[in-house]
Every structure is written in structure tokens, then in C-alpha cells.
Amino acid sequence: MTAHRERQRMVYDIVVVGAGPAGSVCATYLAKAGHSVVLVDRATFPRDKPCGGGFSSAIFQDFPYLSGRRAEIVEGACSVGVLHSPSQRIQLRGRIEMLTALRTVFDNVLYEYAVEAGAESLTGRVVSVRTGSDKVTVRVAGGEELTGRAVVGADGVTSVVARELGLNRRWPSSKLTACRVVEAPAPETSILDTYSEDREYHFYAKFGGRPGYGWVFPKRTTVNIGVGVTVPHARGLSAVFREFIQTLRRDGLLPDGVDLSAVRGALVPTGGALRRTFADRAILVGDSAGMVNPITGGGIHYAMIAARLAAATLSFCLEEDDLSAEGLENYQRRWMSAFGKDMNAMVLVQRIVVGPFADVLFTIGSRDRVIQEIVSEAMGGHSGGTVD
């Protein structure tokens, strides 16, 4: 019997849609708990994703199984963060470590862990999701159907799972940030000359007077450079990106020999998480649920924490044979307790940083150590969450 026919006959415990960090981590924990899992993604791994690739070293404490491949995952360690005011006249600096990775490598490692744990993998584009009284049916382009007792939507900002199940028909444009980003190769010696041994990483608040940010993350042999602007103000984003490159060159933050040819676009949900991230036989994790730091656009750590909590909730509900919305509601309470309040606070900080009085607040912050520490932690990708 072919693998296709076997899947057609199979009723999985969980169908996970999307094999990025959220989906792969969730699949790993579910498979380790003995559940049957199929992990579906439209891409063939390894694959790249336009993203800064910065995260906190706390990931290795929260997910110790990753420590065995830490040297492969970590592309560099940045020690000092610099936040530039909208006028670019004031800088807030803080010494707090941010690790960096290439998403091609990082996501593939997480994906491989999921497969090694026992998750079945399938490459295909999910086109519809339907829930019934006792099952979920996930249809893949080409006609294949997967049946599960529940589904996890880890399929990003344009989540088919969220749309099909009525959890999020579409994001309001005001809650989306359009990005232009490049993982730019550069000589390692040139990177060290430009950003020092500390590999200083930079954020430019409200670059070009538009609500959003620019960033520079120096890695080992690449520099990740990008700009993000909320969608209602993102007209002419390519020109904004070119202007940002000129600003970096002016500020001495563009290494000699850097290759800027492979610029890509992306959308990031930066307006806060959805009010409801669960339904009958369904849970949303990561970008599909809006679990993103609205200041930096980073969501790796949030996604992974939510994924582990989702796996724990689903595992319990599978054993209890209660996959109703009421049974899965505990997932929402758990991720809100872990990092929800922290993320909501970041939404407020974002509004201040891009607001009309941002430069006044930067002036105050330049004299206030507490504010500088808060900003540094936000830049460094520290979620403040826990997976307990």
C-alpha cells in the first residue's frame, strides 16, 4: 500500500499545519508523548524564511533537547543593542545578549527533531480545513485528505486553519507590518570591523517617519538587514528600504563587501495576538495567532513556548477524549499566563515608540536606566515567558 493510501485510511491524533518553529516544536512534543502526528508544510525542507533570526539564549533552557545541536543552530551572539530614535539624534544602548541563526538551518533542525520523534511529514499546500463532531478533515492541494482528531494551525500570518475555522478571516491592515529583508553575505572580518567584537545590533524606530522600524543583525558571515512598516503606510516600501541602506552607509553600519542582491518581502502580524486562539478540535500557535513582539517583529520564542503548551493541552484532552472548545480553552489561559501580559505590554510600548512624542520619551529614556533595560530586553528577544 502506498504512503498516500495509508494516510487516506489513517486517523491521526493531530494534524499539524505548518512546519516552522511553532509547528515542528508542537509535533515533537506530541510525538514524544506517543500520539500519532502528521506535519504538513507547503515547502520542502530545508527552506528559508525572510526573518531577522534573532532570539534569546533562554530557548536552550526552555527547550533543552535543542542543546545537542546548539553549535549548528547559533550563527552568532550579539552583546549590545542600540535603539535609534525617530529623529536619529538619540540612541538607547543596552548590554544584553541576543543569539542569531539562519532560518534555513534553525527551522530545519526543529523539523528534523519532529521527524526523529515520530511525526510523519508531508509536503503539500493545505487548501481547506473542516471540523466535524468527531474529526477534522484537512485537504491538501492535489486532492489528498488527512483526517485527525484535532488540528494545529501553525501556518503563519495567512493561516488557512484560522480562516477556515472562523478564528481569523483576515488581519486588519493596521495590525500587519510589511517588511523588506535581506540576509546579506559579507566577509567576517568586515562584519567585526563594522560592529565590533560585541556585534552590536541596531533598531531604528519609526524609520522615515512611518510607523515601523528598521533593523540590523550582524551574524557570523551575513548581516540581516530589514525595514518594516505597517501596511496602511507601506506604499513605496522598496524606496524606504533603499533609503535605509543609505542611512546605514552614512552611519558606518554597512560592512565593506556586503551583498544586498537577495532582498525579499514578508508580512508580520504586529498588532497583538488574537482574542481567541482555540476552537472545537483546533488550536492556533505562532504567527497564525499573532504571537509576535510588536516592537521587533520577532516571534520565535513566543511561538515555541505556545507550541509546547499547545502540545501539553492537546495531549491531556486526547487522553480525556474531550477536544471541544471548552476542553481546549486551557491552552489560551496557559499561554496568556506565560507571555500574554508581556506581549500586551509590548503593544503599548510600540505605540509609544512610534507615536508623536517618541523623541521626548527617548530623551527621558536616555537618562533612565530602568527604561534602557526594558528596551534592551525587548530588543534582545527576551519573552519573559516560561513553559512550566
Side-chain angles (χ1 to χ4, degrees):
M1 184 180 292
T2 66
H4 171 82
R5 287 181 179 176
E6 287 179 358
R7 283 193 295 268
Q8 293 291 89
R9 293 166 59 93
M10 179 80 171
V11 177
Y12 295 93
D13 288 328
I14 306 293
V15 179
V16 179
V17 181
S24 289
V25 168
C26 191
T28 296
Y29 280 102
L30 285 166
K32 284 183 175 181
H35 302 295
S36 58
V37 183
V38 60
L39 181 59
V40 190
D41 198 284
R42 64 192 303 167
T44 300
F45 280 67
R47 61 95 176 96
D48 195 15
K49 180 181 178 181
C51 172
F55 57 95
S56 165
S57 61
I59 277 181
F60 293 103
Q61 283 79 56
D62 286 342
F63 303 91
Y65 73 90
L66 298 179
S67 297
R69 298 179 70 175
R70 179 174 179 141
E72 183 180 354
I73 290 170
V74 177
E75 183 69 12
C78 303
S79 302
V80 173
V82 183
L83 179 61
H84 301 251
S85 70
S87 69
Q88 298 175 30
R89 292 193 294 266
I90 302 169
Q91 298 178 4
L92 302 183
R93 306 172 69 87
R95 180 168 288 276
I96 189 161
E97 184 181 66
M98 179 183 71
L99 301 183
T100 59
L102 299 176
R103 289 297 298 270
T104 308
V105 175
F106 183 75
D107 289 21
N108 193 59
V109 168
L110 297 183
Y111 175 78
E112 289 180 348
Y113 271 120
V115 173
E116 290 169 9
E120 184 178 341
S121 64
L122 172 64
T123 301
R125 180 173 59 88
V126 170
V127 294
S128 73
V129 182
R130 296 288 182 268
T131 56
S133 60
D134 61 348
K135 66 180 180 179
V136 174
T137 303
V138 176
R139 190 163 64 87
V140 182
E144 184 167 359
E145 287 190 348
L146 303 170
T147 303
R149 295 172 66 188
V151 63
V152 172
D155 48 340
V157 63
T158 58
S159 173
V160 174
V161 178
R163 184 179 70 245
E164 290 281 289
L165 300 185
L167 289 168
N168 186 25
R169 298 296 183 188
R170 61 181 297 176
W171 291 99
S173 62
S174 61
K175 293 190 174 185
L176 286 173
T177 293
C179 299
R180 297 287 287 169
V181 57
V182 60
E183 192 75 62
E188 186 172 4
T189 54
S190 181
I191 290 173
L192 291 174
D193 287 343
T194 303
Y195 307 105
S196 81
E197 293 287 344
D198 287 330
R199 282 187 164 83
E200 288 188 354
Y201 55 102
H202 295 257
F203 283 98
Y204 284 71
K206 203 176 180 180
F207 181 77
R210 304 189 189 200
Y213 45 84
W215 72 87
V216 183
F217 293 171
K219 302 182 183 180
R220 186 173 60 85
T221 57
T222 65
V223 182
N224 191 281
I225 300 170
V227 291
V229 178
T230 55
V231 166
H233 304 274
R235 186 181 180 91
L237 186 57
S238 294
V240 175
F241 181 81
R242 291 193 294 271
E243 181 186 349
F244 186 55
I245 295 299
Q246 292 303 316
T247 298
L248 297 179
R249 187 170 282 119
R250 179 203 71 193
D251 291 350
L253 294 174
L254 202 65
D256 294 333
V258 67
D259 179 2
L260 300 170
S261 61
V263 181
R264 299 175 65 187
L267 280 176
V268 183
T270 51
L274 297 175
R275 291 179 180 271
R276 184 180 173 96
T277 57
F278 63 95
D280 287 335
R281 300 186 177 274
I283 275 177
L284 300 180
V285 292
D287 283 12
S288 66
M291 296 170 178
V292 171
N293 182 328
I295 298 176
T296 66
I300 292 173
H301 203 169
Y302 287 151
M304 292 172 66
I305 290 172
R308 181 167 171 177
L309 296 174
T313 303
L314 285 164
S315 186
F316 176 81
C317 290
L318 284 165
E319 296 296 331
E320 295 294 311
D321 195 24
D322 180 10
L323 291 158
S324 66
E326 291 76 13
L328 295 175
E329 186 175 7
N330 190 47
Y331 162 67
Q332 177 110 5
R333 287 192 289 266
R334 295 180 75 176
W335 73 253
M336 278 296 297
S337 176
F339 61 82
K341 292 179 182 178
D342 172 68
M343 192 166 57
N344 289 340
M346 292 301 172
V347 172
L348 295 176
V349 174
Q350 176 210 43
R351 292 171 183 166
I352 293 170
V353 167
V354 301
F357 303 106
D359 274 301
V360 174
L361 293 165
F362 267 82
T363 301
I364 296 169
S366 66
R367 303 166 186 159
D368 189 310
R369 176 64 61 183
V370 173
I371 292 176
Q372 291 172 34
E373 289 177 356
I374 291 171
V375 169
S376 296
E377 289 194 5
M379 288 193 299
H382 292 252
S383 72
T386 175
V387 294
D388 292 338

